[in-house]
Amino acid sequence: MSTPTKQLKTISREEVAKWVIIDAKVYDLSRFASLHPGGLAVLLDENVAGQDATDVFYQLHRHEVLLKPGYARLQVGVVEGEEPEVKVQQAGELSKVPYAEPTWLTPGFSSPYYKESHKALQKAMRKFTDEIVFPDAQAREEDGKRISQSVLDAMAEMNMHAMRLGPGKHLKGLKLMGGIVKPEEFDYFHELIINQELMRVKARGYADGMLGGMVIGLPPVLNFGSEKLKQEIVPQVFAGKKFISLAISEAFAGSDVAGLRCTATKTEDGKYFIVNGTKKWITNGTFSDYFTVGCRTDGGLTVLLIPRGEGVETMQIKTSYSTTAGTAYITFDNVKVPVENVLGKEDDGLRVILSNFNHERWVMCCGSVRSQRTIVEECFKWASQRKVFGKPLIAQAVIRAKFANMISRVEAAQNWLENITHQMNNMTYKEQSSKIAGQIGLLKKFCTSTGQETAQDAVQIFGGRGITKTGMGRFIQHYYVTVPFDALLGGAEDVLGDLGVRQAMRQMPKSTRL
């Protein structure tokens, strides 16, 4: 008698592809297979279908993909006796990737610059940025809308807008970051921490849209405006309810501030200025309520505070980063401005404008260095998980050489930045202008030129992914197309390099010979 034949179900390769293992977690892809962006063939690969596809997955996708609710629901279990190796960095945590953090935040290292209040502020800022700012930054960088009011309100509650203008009388009586730092203790290293933590959002347009216009547009009001103007403007801006921009650059004059053509003509009764002209590439200009404007007057240059109103029109300029920055072209058509809105003295506007540059450029250095560090971290992760010729990408000597250059640049920039910050803490404003204005210019030139070199190295490390707007290399691609902004805003590299050398020339002793 023949043995009955067992009827077995015929299973297609498509059905076998319904599950995979990724980092000790089992995922059922039966309802997702046909929707896979990379096509079904990828899932049917013999190294994927029904296999532990951890290595393959991390060569194609960022870990954040698994955290999205739609994909997280595909998990049906875990592998018996195994634990996930990938640890998700929690909000507020420091990265353990080499050189992803500055030395003073690296376990086992010390620094003479940072006190306990600095460490406490950094910890609070890291958590604040990760939980509140980063999600909004990614969304707004994509849709181009203005920074969400809820984020501005959260920052205002911590008095962060005020702290971003550095130490000074404007902090008196304020509760800073929930009381972590006392106003009288707040120094430039506290501000450096705020600047660098906020720059971790990896969204360059948003970084400027996060009231970058206030950082450079409000100081002239604070330092040169009348008490009436300050009482009217400053509280609203610090509260995140009103916005202000610095409007200096024109199509006719960028670094050449003395070449401004926007005019302010005084009326016969001497009570008003009539302003006519244009300004270009004005950060936050599309949504600003006030503009700190450099104008040509009869005896030189004069800076006026001009509120948005009749005769003031703004038009969005589309640049290589997101419109969330609010970059604007501004037209002033017979705008009537009270003489009380003069910041500083009439015809002494050049001094007002130049007084702003050191802090503006220093702030940009803070952001540039931190941005480079995030790129180093991205590259370290990718080069460690990407396999080429049967080995991790970082096993290639030519790749390690690129890392050596990137690390050297970012560490040199951070240490120079901290040295200058220390000098700022121990110099009067007048001393800063005469002694380190040139150094700040040279530092900015160094930061922005090395940033562009790091961007090029990062693209080579990521390959095609480094020029793709989505996926593994999206932050590299974003950095590569936006890093030139740092080289232009606040003064072009060549201009600032020349400034540094000219200041050094003035200090050259006449008695010195070879």
Side-chain angles (χ1 to χ4, degrees):
M1 181 181 292
S2 61
T3 304
T5 303
K6 184 178 180 179
Q7 296 296 315
L8 298 177
K9 179 182 178 182
T10 301
I11 303 174
S12 67
R13 289 188 63 82
E14 285 80 0
E15 288 178 285
V16 175
K18 75 177 184 178
W19 64 273
V20 294
I21 298 171
I22 302 174
D23 194 30
K25 299 175 183 178
V26 182
Y27 294 86
D28 182 348
L29 305 182
S30 57
R31 290 177 294 175
F32 173 70
S34 62
L35 302 175
H36 184 245
L40 185 59
V42 177
L43 300 180
L44 296 178
D45 186 279
E46 62 181 11
N47 295 315
V48 176
Q51 305 297 318
D52 187 330
T54 301
D55 284 348
V56 176
F57 177 85
Y58 283 113
Q59 291 194 63
L60 299 173
H61 301 287
R62 300 180 69 90
H63 181 73
E64 62 201 47
V65 169
L66 298 177
L67 304 180
K68 295 180 179 180
Y71 298 115
R73 285 195 292 267
L74 300 177
Q75 185 182 348
V76 294
V78 296
V79 178
E80 184 178 4
E82 295 185 18
E83 293 290 332
E85 289 186 358
V86 178
K87 304 296 182 184
V88 179
Q89 187 173 325
Q90 300 300 310
E93 286 186 347
L94 296 174
S95 174
K96 295 181 180 179
V97 175
Y99 298 102
E101 306 287 359
T103 305
W104 75 276
L105 290 176
T106 304
F109 288 80
S110 61
S111 170
Y113 298 131
Y114 300 92
K115 301 178 294 186
E116 289 304 314
S117 64
H118 296 113
K119 296 175 183 178
L121 178 63
Q122 184 280 324
K123 188 174 182 179
M125 279 299 306
R126 177 66 58 96
K127 189 173 179 62
F128 183 94
T129 302
D130 289 350
E131 293 181 341
I132 297 175
V133 186
F134 184 85
D136 190 59
Q138 295 304 307
R140 300 292 79 78
E141 190 77 22
E142 183 65 26
D143 64 26
K145 297 179 181 177
R146 198 200 79 191
I147 179 175
S148 298
Q149 189 61 44
S150 59
V151 175
L152 293 175
D153 292 343
M155 294 175 73
E157 187 177 352
M158 297 291 107
N159 282 306
M160 203 174 297
H161 303 313
M163 289 190 286
R164 292 180 69 195
L165 268 61
K169 297 177 182 178
H170 62 283
L171 298 180
K172 186 177 181 180
L174 300 182
K175 189 177 183 181
L176 307 181
M177 209 64 191
I180 286 177
V181 188
K182 296 178 180 179
E184 61 272 20
E185 294 179 347
F186 190 89
D187 63 15
Y188 286 109
F189 279 105
H190 291 106
E191 188 191 354
L192 180 151
I193 290 167
I194 293 172
N195 291 328
Q196 294 204 323
E197 289 299 324
L198 289 176
M199 189 55 71
R200 292 178 53 258
V201 296
K202 303 175 184 177
R204 188 62 183 82
Y206 185 91
D208 280 355
M210 194 164 31
L211 304 196
M214 174 206 68
V215 175
I216 56 179
L218 191 58
V221 179
L222 273 174
N223 298 324
F224 298 97
S226 66
E227 287 302 316
K228 180 181 178 182
L229 272 183
K230 285 188 280 189
Q231 291 173 12
E232 178 184 345
I233 307 299
V234 175
Q236 297 181 79
V237 175
F238 281 169
K241 304 303 182 184
K242 295 288 185 179
F243 310 111
I244 188 169
S245 295
L246 180 68
I248 302 297
S249 296
E250 301 177 358
F252 309 102
S255 298
D256 178 21
V257 175
L260 297 180
R261 296 189 185 182
C262 183
T263 62
T265 305
K266 191 174 287 187
T267 57
E268 290 186 4
D269 59 11
K271 294 182 179 180
Y272 299 93
F273 284 99
I274 305 300
V275 178
N276 284 282
T278 60
K279 297 293 176 179
K280 196 170 185 179
W281 302 293
I282 306 306
T283 303
N284 301 172
T286 60
F287 56 81
S288 282
D289 302 287
Y290 302 99
F291 305 91
T292 301
V293 185
C295 302
R296 180 159 297 285
T297 44
D298 289 340
L301 297 178
T302 300
V303 178
L304 297 172
L305 180 70
I306 302 179
R308 184 183 288 272
E310 185 177 354
V312 179
E313 292 187 8
T314 58
M315 180 175 65
Q316 188 139 247
I317 297 176
K318 292 185 177 180
T319 66
S320 56
Y321 68 13
S322 175
T323 53
T324 187
T327 308
Y329 181 82
I330 307 176
T331 302
F332 299 103
D333 186 9
N334 289 322
V335 179
K336 195 175 184 180
V337 183
V339 293
E340 289 80 10
N341 284 29
V342 171
L343 302 179
K345 297 179 180 179
E346 186 177 339
D347 298 328
D348 193 30
L350 187 60
R351 184 172 67 91
V352 176
I353 294 170
L354 295 179
S355 73
N356 217 28
F357 280 148
N358 283 344
H359 183 259
E360 175 186 1
R361 292 162 181 166
W362 174 82
V363 168
M364 295 190 67
C365 292
C366 295
S368 176
V369 176
R370 182 69 240 194
S371 294
Q372 290 185 54
R373 201 174 288 282
T374 62
I375 298 305
V376 171
E377 180 179 15
E378 289 282 307
C379 289
F380 251 120
K381 291 178 180 178
W382 172 243
S384 298
Q385 66 194 60
R386 172 64 167 169
K387 300 290 175 55
V388 294
F389 308 112
K391 298 179 180 179
L393 180 61
I394 202 166
Q396 304 297 319
V398 66
I399 298 299
R400 294 197 299 273
K402 293 185 183 299
F403 273 98
N405 290 332
M406 290 193 295
I407 292 167
S408 298
R409 290 191 290 258
V410 73
E411 290 300 318
Q414 178 76 24
N415 279 276
W416 192 359
L417 171 64
E418 289 179 349
N419 179 282
I420 286 180
T421 304
H422 176 69
Q423 308 311 321
M424 291 168 65
N425 276 342
N426 290 278
M427 288 183 181
T428 64
Y429 170 77
K430 187 175 182 180
E431 288 174 325
Q432 289 180 31
S433 298
S434 63
K435 295 182 178 180
I436 60 172
Q439 282 208 29
I440 292 174
L442 290 170
L443 172 62
K444 183 178 179 295
K445 172 182 167 60
F446 180 75
C447 289
T448 58
S449 60
T450 57
Q452 293 181 82
E453 292 173 15
T454 290
Q456 292 174 350
D457 283 341
V459 168
Q460 292 299 311
I461 290 171
F462 271 77
R465 291 170 174 83
I467 55 172
T468 304
K469 294 184 70 173
T470 58
M472 300 296 289
R474 66 190 182 98
F475 293 126
I476 303 301
Q477 185 274 342
H478 178 79
Y479 184 70
Y480 183 75
V481 300
T482 60
V483 70
F485 277 85
D486 293 339
L488 297 173
L489 304 182
E493 286 181 355
D494 293 338
V495 173
L496 296 187
D498 185 59
L499 167 67
V501 175
R502 284 189 291 108
Q503 188 173 71
M505 289 169 60
R506 289 195 294 269
Q507 297 168 354
M508 183 68 182
K510 295 181 179 180
S511 59
T512 301
R513 297 289 186 278
L514 285 176

